Amino acid sequence: MEQHRRCRVSPSAVNRWTVRRSAFLRCACLAAGSLLLPCGCAQRAASGPLRVWSFNHFEGYEGMLKAQLAEFERRRPGFTTAYEIISWAEEDDKLTVAMASGRPPDVLWGALDPRWLATGLQVPIDDQLTAFDRRDFYDTALEAMRFSGRLWGFPLYQTLYCMAGNAHMFEDASVSWRAIQSEGWPWDRFLSDCRALKAPGVYPFVFFVRPTPEMWSWFALNNGVVDANSSGLRADGSFGWNRTGVAEALQFLIDTFRRHGISPPQEPGFSDENQTDLFFTGRAAVSARQGPYVLTEQKRIARAQAGGARLPHPGYRAFPLALLPFPHHPATAQRAHAGGGGYMVFRQKNVANPRRVEAAVRLAHFLSNTDGMQFAAHLSLLPSRRSGVRRFGGQLDLESPNMRFFQRYLQQSAPRIHPPLDVASSREARVLEVAVTPNWEAALAADKTVPQAMSDMTAGAASVLNGT
Amino acid sequence: MSSVRLPMRRAAIAWLFLAPALLIIAAFNLYPLAYAFVLSFQHYSISGTSWVGLENYRRVLADPIVHRAFANTLEYTAVVVTGGIAISLSLALLLHGRSSAWQTTFKALYYLPAQIGAVVSAVIWVYIFAPVDGLLNHILAALHLPQPLWLANSHTALPAIIATALIGGHGAAVILYLAALSGIPQSYYESARLDGVGAWTQFWRITFPLLRPTTVYVLIIGVIGSFQVFGSVYLMTQGGPQFSTDTVVYDIYDAFFKRGQVGSACAEAFLLGLIIVAVSLLQYRTLATDVEY
């Protein structure tokens, strides 16, 4: 056998080169193939069905979306659609990869994100609103999709952040949640009410510290800091949290567990899930933060208790809820942080296909028509269209105390602050990560005093914003 | 014997069989690696890229958060690797000489955590360390002891993550050590006992030196794995609080996905790769030895 091999293969240099050249060519083919692979995917992305990405917002959402897409295909022959329900956990990573590769979905459900605007792939839709749309959409809903004066998506709902109270506990403690809804909740009254809400095994007030310091921003907003956004940045891109109102808000939150004992001593460790668990298992009277969507969650828990669905967490129980405003400094006006989201349109990088973009715009418009407002109704949110409110107002029970409070509180929203796009799309997240969050955590954990945390935060923000 | 060269047709068949694996390696390893290397010298954005030379490397090396991440990673590696070797060797010594049934049972038990995915394991630990309803704090409360905020305190978060690595995940090392222990001739111990040598001295003079190849292997694999710790950090603390659990791979992920600093993320990844290769070579050159028995 060995002899056979030897006689068949020449050891000459020429033949060795032939073998090496052959190997080289094969490797080159492989490399070329691997390079062409993404190009093929790109072609498919540019010519295949319109891709819609959304999230699993509520039970039955996927069926609703599917029916909407089927109806769109029926009305627009020649265009097919494909949807993908992505999980909240993978949201950021999946979108980052899609945007970085220049292959975003054609239509995306979500709130406005400056990072995606900065890609240049998001399609403005100012010119796509019909006269009916302009009359029908609420200004607050359109505002949530606006950046630098342009409209970047069709709004679907209006929402805000607030707190939620266990109405039973309030009534047991003779604290009127209806009065708080209508009159607001100044800090001093909030503290006295919380003292009244103290009961064995029950904490009056729980809030979350991780993963973001947003609680700080809601309390700062209600202490007169209205010209900076939740990352502490002003509209001109400067840092706006280096002031007393912000420090006072931080001290107020720290005092809730360290001085007044109305919050659990474990507060510095609380995540969003921790505080929600305490609230829905009946061990907290007030939970921050929540949103009006908590009313839908409450209905789901009630259905589960009645045997119609699975409990989201063992031990959760349904009880009457009261939506509540964030406490505000007695000397300043109560402010809400409103928001919203909807369907946004993206084009593919380096692919000129105006017909596809136009179809994607039509699809996003279709998904946010009056019928599409059932999305908001399912989540106990206000539809972005007046026609949606007329259609689904009964389902939303707009005359209930909670929904009336929601509509009133929405009117008290602070103006939205957008730093310039170059700051908002890159340095804002860094300011939050390097300057705000670590000092928020350090102050709550007593690793730093409030003045130390404020000083370090200001220095950190300056370092990021000045690029030093 | 002179080298054997395959005839062209046989070579073609060989290439054909190798092609799928080569294609996968080229597409998912070599191409991304080469592309990432190129990106480490570029400022990347969706609207275009530009060459910035060594700017990304300079920025990474000057970033105090990256310094913190490297320090945390070194601390994690030092404790987890040395502690892991001590624990797995101790467990192997305890099992060595026991009956086959005992060994099989305990090998399976020690190996079990390795079969539980890192994600599942981390989620379980999150529940154990939870501030209010956590198992650990329940026990401490029952014993009237203070209940720290394990994952929310900058002084306890990294030790807590290190503890999760030390408590589970020694199965493979225990099996390797058991195999190596059974390969040491008993005659060495018999001679030592005849000379009146105690158990402690036997361990340090016979067992430990003869386990050196296994220890070097466990050490190198452990260092490489620990330098790349990500899953537990991502799931348990996200690098916080106050960057106390920020590790290099988590920081790379953070730079890429959260901050959109693609070039810096690639530069940091190559620096980490360079360090891992250097440390592994150093360990191999200083500790590797040919042992025959």
Side-chain angles (χ1 to χ4, degrees):
Chain A
M1 186 67 185
E2 189 65 23
Q3 191 60 36
H4 173 72
R5 278 181 187 158
R6 280 184 184 172
C7 69
R8 292 283 303 272
V9 181
S10 161
S12 72
V14 174
N15 210 352
R16 274 206 299 276
W17 162 241
T18 308
V19 173
R20 283 178 188 167
R21 188 176 58 182
S22 165
F24 172 77
L25 286 173
R26 285 184 180 90
C27 287
C29 286
L30 286 175
S34 64
L35 285 170
L36 289 173
L37 199 66
C39 302
C41 294
Q43 285 306 314
R44 277 199 302 282
S47 60
L50 292 169
R51 295 180 305 140
V52 180
W53 283 7
S54 191
F55 299 83
N56 195 17
H57 300 283
F58 51 82
E59 288 172 62
Y61 170 73
E62 189 172 353
M64 187 193 102
L65 179 65
K66 220 167 167 174
Q68 284 180 300
L69 295 177
E71 178 61 18
F72 177 79
E73 287 180 2
R74 195 184 64 76
R75 291 187 190 188
R76 301 269 306 190
F79 278 102
T80 54
T81 59
Y83 71 89
E84 191 175 340
I85 302 292
I86 54 182
S87 72
W88 293 106
E90 68 178 334
E91 174 195 7
D92 230 32
D93 295 356
K94 195 170 170 84
L95 285 174
T96 301
V97 171
M99 298 292 172
S101 64
R103 303 286 165 245
D106 297 284
V107 175
L108 171 70
W109 178 95
L112 207 57
D113 191 323
R115 290 177 301 168
W116 312 151
L117 284 179
T119 64
L121 299 177
Q122 192 160 346
V123 178
I125 54 111
D126 307 76
D127 304 335
Q128 308 298 328
L129 294 185
T130 63
F132 172 74
D133 288 334
R134 290 180 197 284
R135 289 194 307 274
D136 202 31
F137 278 123
Y138 287 99
D139 287 340
T140 45
L142 289 173
E143 198 53 37
M145 306 303 283
R146 199 167 268 139
F147 194 99
S148 299
R150 301 209 70 177
L151 198 58
W152 297 96
F154 295 98
L156 200 55
Y157 61 90
Q158 305 171 78
T159 188
L160 46 71
Y161 287 137
C162 59
M163 308 203 298
N166 182 323
H168 274 165
M169 289 183 185
F170 274 68
E171 283 150 17
D172 289 348
S174 302
V175 177
S176 170
W177 55 269
R178 286 170 194 266
I180 296 164
Q181 282 186 339
S182 57
E183 296 162 17
W185 218 356
W187 283 2
D188 46 356
R189 185 173 158 192
F190 168 77
L191 291 174
S192 63
D193 286 347
C194 282
R195 284 187 202 106
L197 285 163
K198 269 188 181 177
V202 173
Y203 292 105
F205 174 55
V206 289
F207 62 95
F208 69 83
V209 172
R210 298 186 299 157
T212 72
E214 63 177 76
M215 204 58 54
W216 190 5
S217 73
W218 311 144
F219 277 75
L221 179 69
N222 279 285
N223 193 23
V225 184
V226 292
D227 61 344
N229 68 9
S230 56
S231 306
L233 295 182
R234 290 195 186 95
D236 63 1
S238 63
F239 190 64
W241 268 20
N242 43 351
R243 64 173 110 166
T244 314
V246 179
E248 284 174 355
L250 178 57
Q251 190 64 60
F252 183 85
L253 280 163
I254 291 170
D255 286 348
T256 61
F257 63 92
R258 211 174 284 157
R259 183 172 158 210
H260 305 300
I262 57 172
S263 299
Q266 298 92 343
E267 272 296 350
F270 273 13
S271 66
D272 191 7
E273 291 80 13
N274 294 144
Q275 61 97 10
T276 300
D277 285 352
L278 281 181
F279 182 62
F280 277 117
T281 51
R283 288 178 288 167
V286 177
S287 158
R289 70 149 158 83
Q290 299 289 347
Y293 48 77
V294 73
L295 299 169
T296 299
E297 183 69 356
Q298 178 213 29
K299 287 176 195 161
R300 187 157 75 105
I301 295 167
R303 272 204 314 280
Q305 279 185 323
R310 194 164 64 94
L311 268 177
H313 190 283
Y316 273 26
R317 54 184 197 240
F319 43 78
L321 282 178
L323 299 184
L324 299 166
F326 284 107
H328 64 93
H329 190 281
T332 59
Q334 173 175 287
R335 292 287 193 174
H337 175 85
Y343 288 105
M344 300 172 287
V345 178
F346 293 85
R347 61 179 178 78
Q348 308 295 303
K349 186 185 178 188
N350 298 334
V351 176
N353 192 344
R355 195 163 164 265
R356 184 184 181 87
V357 173
E358 189 262 337
V361 171
R362 292 293 126 236
L363 175 56
H365 186 259
F366 179 78
L367 291 173
S368 50
N369 64 15
T370 304
D371 284 339
M373 298 296 118
Q374 58 184 300
F375 175 95
H378 272 290
L379 286 172
S380 307
L381 304 176
L382 283 177
S384 57
R385 288 180 181 272
R386 290 175 174 83
S387 58
V389 171
R390 285 194 293 275
R391 173 87 56 90
F392 298 104
Q395 184 181 333
L396 278 165
D397 196 9
L398 290 173
E399 292 308 310
S400 66
N402 279 326
M403 293 309 282
R404 287 175 68 173
F405 161 74
F406 177 9
Q407 293 168 81
R408 269 199 315 276
Y409 200 31
L410 200 60
Q411 301 306 313
Q412 297 168 328
S413 301
R416 295 174 74 85
I417 306 293
H418 291 303
L421 186 58
D422 64 319
V423 176
S425 61
S426 58
R427 277 175 280 176
E428 180 170 348
R430 191 70 171 153
V431 167
L432 199 60
E433 184 188 25
V434 173
V436 181
T437 304
N439 287 296
W440 154 253
E441 291 172 341
L444 286 158
D447 287 344
K448 289 181 185 176
T449 63
V450 169
Q452 274 173 335
M454 290 295 294
S455 167
D456 291 352
M457 175 177 71
T458 304
S463 165
V464 173
L465 293 171
N466 300 332
T468 54
Chain B
M1 194 179 81
S2 63
S3 64
V4 177
R5 300 206 171 274
L6 293 175
M8 291 301 288
R9 181 181 287 179
R10 292 174 66 85
I13 292 170
W15 278 110
L16 195 68
F17 279 106
L18 286 171
L22 286 174
L23 187 67
I24 290 168
I25 292 168
F28 296 107
N29 289 73
L30 299 179
Y31 175 68
L33 196 68
Y35 192 44
F37 187 65
V38 172
L39 282 175
S40 72
F41 297 101
Q42 291 182 330
H43 171 74
Y44 178 89
S45 78
I46 188 71
S47 51
T49 54
S50 55
W51 287 94
V52 293
L54 292 170
E55 175 60 25
N56 289 326
Y57 288 90
R58 190 197 63 77
R59 189 201 291 190
V60 165
L61 290 171
D63 189 339
I65 294 168
V66 175
H67 298 167
R68 181 81 192 264
F70 269 101
N72 290 339
T73 307
L74 282 175
E75 185 181 339
Y76 177 90
T77 302
V79 180
V80 168
V81 175
T82 52
I85 287 174
I87 291 169
S88 48
L89 181 54
S90 307
L91 291 172
L93 286 168
L94 283 171
L95 285 180
H96 183 57
R98 307 279 169 202
S99 70
S100 170
W102 269 99
Q103 284 202 16
T104 308
T105 306
F106 277 95
K107 275 195 273 191
L109 282 175
Y110 294 141
Y111 203 72
L112 200 61
Q115 297 307 305
I116 299 173
V119 173
V120 177
S121 172
V123 169
I124 292 170
W125 279 110
V126 167
Y127 281 112
I128 291 172
F129 288 131
V132 174
D133 293 331
L135 177 68
L136 191 53
N137 278 356
H138 260 304
I139 294 169
L140 292 173
L143 298 171
H144 303 290
L145 291 170
Q147 299 141 56
L149 304 172
W150 298 103
L151 299 177
N153 185 306
S154 58
H155 306 293
T156 55
L158 188 59
I161 288 179
I162 288 173
T164 65
L166 284 176
I167 289 171
H170 303 299
V174 169
I175 289 168
L176 286 170
Y177 272 125
L178 271 172
L181 282 168
S182 59
I184 300 175
Q186 286 302 307
S187 55
Y188 291 4
Y189 295 105
E190 286 161 10
S191 305
R193 276 195 293 272
L194 284 174
D195 291 341
V197 176
W200 189 244
T201 312
Q202 283 180 40
F203 172 76
W204 283 111
R205 296 298 171 101
I206 300 172
T207 311
F208 196 66
L210 293 178
L211 289 177
R212 198 166 170 177
T214 309
T215 304
V216 170
Y217 175 78
V218 172
L219 183 68
I220 291 176
I221 294 296
V223 166
I224 291 171
S226 297
F227 262 115
Q228 297 180 64
V229 59
F230 173 77
S232 52
V233 173
Y234 175 74
L235 289 158
M236 292 166 71
T237 59
Q238 305 254 308
Q242 303 164 62
F243 302 104
S244 62
T245 60
D246 195 22
T247 58
V248 181
V249 176
Y250 184 80
D251 199 64
I252 292 168
Y253 163 82
D254 197 58
F256 188 100
F257 285 101
K258 306 287 183 210
R259 308 200 296 266
Q261 295 173 339
V262 177
S264 296
C266 292
E268 196 174 345
F270 274 93
L271 285 174
L272 176 66
L274 209 64
I275 290 170
I276 290 175
V277 169
V279 170
S280 301
L281 281 175
L282 188 73
Q283 287 172 336
Y284 190 76
R285 288 183 71 104
T286 52
L287 297 173
T289 177
D290 291 328
V291 178
E292 285 184 21
Y293 47 85

